[in-house]
Amino acid sequence: DAGVIQSPRHEVTEMGQEVTLRCKPISGHNSLFWYRQTMMRGLELLIYFNNNVPIDDSGMPEDRFSAKMPNASFSTLKIQPSEPRDSAVYFCASSQGSAGNTIYFGEGSWLTVV
Amino acid sequence: AQKVTQAQTEISVVEKEDVTLDCVYETRDTTYYLFWYKQPPSGELVFLIRRNSFDEQNEISGRYSWNFQKSTSSFNFTITASQVVDSAVYFCALRIRGDSSYKLIFGSGTRLLVRP
């Protein structure tokens, strides 16, 4: 079975440019998460969707960040305009709805903003 | 507040040694779930185990074993006869049933280096 699929795997962009990260969750999973990993802050939740609806976006750092989930099989995380401090690994993850279920992660999107 | 502490930042062992990675968690919830993930040098996060708060039975899977003790709020991970391929960062994580976001709260990770 396919796991969580993310694209691009690596992105290098210039400051001020728009960045769009994409995610396809595991089929049948109704919860989707975007996490960010940095050396300073470790793994932190940015936003959580349940049944395509954003439930908790308290981790989204600022208005430059936005996330959408137009359907059950696709989500995007957009940064506009990007800044060097946004450089990080962005993970998409999915699970079935209840807290007792495992969250499965994609391979991550490694973003470098220069 | 919920919190996961992995006090060991980095551990270095020689191949075939046994190694234990410590995890201490904090929560006031009575229903919660504990996880271990492995992050190899390639960067992905790989699920290893899930344990719920009502199941204190220890688990063994091949060279891996986990010791869950509610009395000390710990969920430690032991690798027996370590191998070079075990070199990775290992994360312990907590998930609360009462948290509407169902998010995983991660520890800071323990970097394990297994030397040949």
Side-chain angles (χ1 to χ4, degrees), chain A residues 35 37 56 97 100-103, chain B residues 37 39 43 50 95 101-102 104:
Chain A
Y35 277 83
Q37 184 179 31
D56 182 356
N101 290 312
T102 298
I103 297 179
Chain B
Y37 287 82
Q39 188 173 38
R50 178 186 74 226
R95 200 177 187 195
S101 76
Y102 289 162
L104 280 169

Side-chain angles (χ1 to χ4, degrees), chain A residues 4-20:
Chain A
V4 177
I5 299 172
Q6 292 186 245
S7 65
R9 287 296 316 278
H10 299 271
E11 173 104 4
V12 180
T13 191
E14 291 185 348
M15 183 174 62
Q17 295 298 304
E18 177 179 293
V19 174
T20 299

Side-chain angles (χ1 to χ4, degrees), chain B residues 33 38 50 52 81 98 100 105 107:
Chain B
Y33 306 87
K38 174 182 179 181
R50 178 186 74 226
N52 74 53
S100 61
I105 300 162

Side-chain angles (χ1 to χ4, degrees), chain A residues 10 13-16 20 28 31-32 34 38-39 45 49-50 52 58 61 72 76 91 96 98-99 101-102 111:
Chain A
H10 299 271
T13 191
E14 291 185 348
M15 183 174 62
T20 299
S31 295
L32 184 138
W34 283 99
T38 60
M39 288 295 293
L45 178 70
F49 290 89
N50 184 254
N52 312 337
S58 59
T76 60
F91 286 101
Q96 293 179 328
S98 71
N101 290 312
T102 298
L111 174 65

Side-chain angles (χ1 to χ4, degrees), chain B residues 98-111:
Chain B
D99 182 340
S100 61
S101 76
Y102 289 162
K103 64 178 174 286
L104 280 169
I105 300 162
F106 283 91
S108 55
T110 296
R111 182 177 300 276

Side-chain angles (χ1 to χ4, degrees), chain B residues 16-55:
Chain B
K16 297 184 183 177
E17 283 186 27
D18 298 347
V19 58
T20 295
L21 310 181
D22 297 333
C23 173
V24 174
Y25 62 92
E26 296 176 29
T27 179
R28 293 182 178 176
D29 287 62
T30 57
T31 302
Y32 53 88
Y33 306 87
L34 296 164
F35 301 79
W36 276 94
Y37 287 82
K38 174 182 179 181
Q39 188 173 38
S42 50
E44 70 270 29
L45 279 164
V46 179
F47 165 72
L48 295 178
I49 190 172
R50 178 186 74 226
R51 185 54 97 216
N52 74 53
S53 54
F54 299 109
D55 182 4

